[in-house]
Amino acid sequence: MIARLFGRIADKQPNRLIVDVGGVGYDVQVPLSTYYVTPEVGAEMPLRIHTHVREDQLALYGFATELELTMFEKLIAVSGIGPKLALSVLSGIEPRELAGAIQRNDVARLTAIPGVGKKTAERMCVELRDRLPKAIEATPASPADSMREDLGSALANLGYHRQAIDKVLDKLLGGASDRTFEEVLRAALKDLSRA
């Protein structure tokens, strides 16, 4: 089984990377969270890999962090969730936010993720609540993380795409800031309305 790859990024798409390792190109499917931190084509990058084997297919799923890989493996252990839906879930929500939503039994937040219906969200809560990594549960979100999570949720509820939201919030919250939630929300709405 392949557990890790370190190689040159030969091609980069939002849902997949081609990683050149010693002249062999590996086709690796990735969530958006990994895509966003992937360097430009030609640069090298390490990836944690989940090798998924079926009778008719061998697929590689890559992740920038150990936490993403762990959450992916927890998700595909839930009945009715395959690798594609698990990638979609991780593309629609940060791993810590996902763990928090599962702990709080926040079905509304989970169903806001594209591809996740009410029954799937409920199943995730029931099957994963006691199986999440202790490190996720033990780490409280910082006030800045909480504000970012609240802003992201508010903007997503208004119908903006997660990718656009993350880009605007990165810009607005990038430096140390003492702005209030309302001030950042107003600035984000102004930026998003121009896009």
Side-chain angles (χ1 to χ4, degrees):
M1 295 298 222
I2 298 170
R4 183 177 183 274
L5 287 176
F6 180 80
R8 186 179 58 81
I9 304 300
D11 188 31
K12 176 180 171 182
Q13 304 297 323
N15 60 344
R16 65 190 276 253
L17 305 173
I18 304 293
V19 183
D20 184 330
V21 181
V24 177
Y26 291 91
D27 186 352
V28 182
Q29 296 179 56
V30 296
L32 287 175
S33 52
T34 295
Y35 171 76
Y36 291 145
V37 298
T38 301
E40 293 306 311
V41 171
E44 291 188 333
M45 177 184 188
L47 283 173
R48 288 143 183 93
I49 300 292
H50 172 85
T51 305
H52 192 74
V53 181
R54 289 194 339 216
E55 57 192 47
D56 61 338
Q57 180 185 20
L58 175 81
L60 301 178
Y61 296 91
F63 306 92
T65 67
E66 190 64 38
L67 179 57
E68 288 176 328
L69 172 61
T70 301
M71 290 304 287
F72 176 82
E73 290 176 340
K74 297 289 182 194
L75 285 168
I76 61 173
V78 173
S79 58
I81 297 183
K84 285 196 168 120
L85 181 54
L87 273 189
S88 179
V89 169
L90 289 173
S91 292
I93 187 171
E94 291 292 319
R96 287 189 194 284
E97 189 182 347
L98 173 60
I102 290 168
Q103 289 297 324
R104 293 187 310 271
N105 203 30
D106 189 350
V107 173
R109 175 62 186 103
L110 295 173
T111 54
I113 301 166
V116 177
K118 188 174 182 205
K119 286 185 179 174
T120 303
E122 289 169 348
R123 203 173 316 117
M124 284 166 59
C125 291
V126 170
E127 293 187 31
L128 293 179
R129 188 174 298 119
D130 299 327
R131 294 170 46 197
L132 292 175
K134 296 294 177 209
I136 298 176
E137 298 170 30
T139 309
S142 70
D145 289 343
S146 295
M147 184 162 106
R148 184 185 177 98
E149 187 177 318
D150 292 344
L151 286 162
S153 183
L155 293 166
N157 288 337
L158 291 172
Y160 293 102
H161 291 293
R162 196 79 208 178
Q163 185 177 359
I165 292 169
D166 288 339
K167 193 173 182 181
V168 166
L169 292 181
D170 285 345
K171 183 176 98 175
L172 295 173
L173 300 173
S177 174
D178 57 352
R179 294 200 290 181
T180 65
F181 175 88
E182 290 78 15
E183 289 171 335
V184 178
L185 181 62
R186 243 183 264 124
L189 286 170
K190 192 173 179 181
D191 271 19
L192 288 166
S193 67
R194 277 187 257 155

